[in-house]
Amino acid sequence: MTEEEWLAATDLRPVIEFLVGKASRRKGRLIGCGYLRVIWPKLSGKEGSQEAVHAAERFADGEASDAELAGARRLAEQTAEQWSDPALAEPVWQAVQTVAEDDYDFLNGLLSELDASVGEAELVSSQSGNALRGRITTRHQLYGNILRDIFPFRPITLSPSYLTPTVLSLAQGIYEDRAFDRMPILADALQDSGCDNEDILNHCRGTGPHVRGCFVVDLILGKE
């Protein structure tokens, strides 16, 4: 896959296949969490699903136990069973996947979901199929953007000299508060520290979305 194809891809399959085997378990789990954070309003009133995201994020960072993850999964499944409207059920069931067992491979799961969702859309009536295909397209585009936020196209290193107290403090605050609106400020601080890497600076100043697992913030904080 070329960089141009990576940046412009609307078909998730080659993007996911490019990443399979390159993602840590932490980043793999944060893909699903990031998607749900971006569509967080759709989980309003669905406490089991929201708790699933909280638990999965804590687990990814080593702050939640296997038992907590399993409990969150049971609660998320109970929430999912209450929704029959596909437009509501899709994000709720996605929350269940974020609290899957520890060895769950989210990228391979996305490949399976890609095949299943396309097949499902082909089986329903034209009007319903068009609505479903629209939701699928939107979901896949959003996942593509999140994948590009979490994984850079090429390996990127960050000089220790760029990690000034200001840069570290900004990155930590962005991560802890999920304050990704501060990313352009982080870019300015990095540039002031001497960073001239266009991949890093442009990513910080881009439209996002940015989520936990963002490769720039992870680089600064030493997260894998």
Side-chain angles (χ1 to χ4, degrees):
M1 170 173 272
T2 67
E3 184 173 11
E4 290 73 19
E5 291 170 334
W6 165 264
L7 294 173
T10 56
D11 178 3
L12 276 187
R13 177 168 288 280
V15 174
I16 296 170
E17 290 175 343
F18 178 76
L19 291 171
V20 167
K22 300 177 182 178
S24 65
R25 285 183 172 178
R26 171 181 170 274
K27 282 188 177 286
R29 189 172 296 278
L30 289 176
I31 295 168
C33 294
Y35 171 77
L36 290 165
R37 285 291 181 185
V38 172
I39 63 165
W40 196 249
K42 290 189 176 183
L43 297 181
S44 177
K46 306 171 185 66
E47 289 80 6
S49 296
Q50 291 182 335
E51 178 53 36
V53 180
H54 289 308
E57 288 177 336
R58 292 197 305 271
F59 187 87
D61 283 333
E63 297 171 356
S65 66
D66 291 345
E68 289 177 86
L69 196 72
R73 181 176 175 83
R74 287 192 296 271
L75 185 58
E77 287 173 339
Q78 292 170 9
T79 299
E81 290 169 357
Q82 300 170 10
W83 297 94
S84 57
D85 182 344
L88 296 173
E90 287 167 4
V92 173
W93 277 108
Q94 185 64 75
V96 176
Q97 289 181 289
T98 70
V99 278
E101 61 273 14
D102 183 45
D103 60 352
Y104 184 77
D105 186 335
F106 204 92
L107 287 168
N108 282 324
L110 274 180
L111 284 176
S112 298
E113 187 273 341
L114 176 65
D115 292 336
S117 61
V118 171
E120 180 185 356
E122 292 174 348
L123 289 174
V124 297
S125 65
S126 58
Q127 184 174 359
S128 299
N130 287 337
L132 181 57
R133 279 188 285 274
R135 289 200 302 273
I136 290 169
T137 297
T138 299
R139 185 163 73 249
H140 290 177
Q141 288 173 342
L142 182 52
Y143 264 122
N145 290 335
I146 289 169
L147 289 169
R148 285 183 282 265
D149 180 55
I150 294 177
F151 304 99
F153 175 72
R154 63 178 66 83
I156 294 177
T157 58
L158 199 62
S159 170
S161 65
Y162 303 155
L163 304 182
T164 64
T166 299
V167 167
L168 288 169
S169 177
L170 275 168
Q172 191 66 46
I174 288 169
Y175 190 84
E176 291 179 356
D177 301 338
R178 299 182 187 85
F180 296 103
D181 58 316
R182 302 175 198 163
M183 292 294 290
I185 302 174
L186 179 61
D188 292 343
L190 283 165
Q191 200 162 30
D192 289 345
S193 74
C195 177
D196 59 359
N197 185 301
E198 291 299 321
D199 288 333
I200 291 174
L201 299 177
N202 290 340
H203 187 76
C204 290
R205 291 169 174 149
T207 57
H210 299 285
V211 298
R212 279 195 174 181
C214 168
F215 77 84
V216 174
V217 176
D218 274 5
L219 272 174
I220 293 169
L221 299 180
K223 295 180 180 290
E224 296 182 357

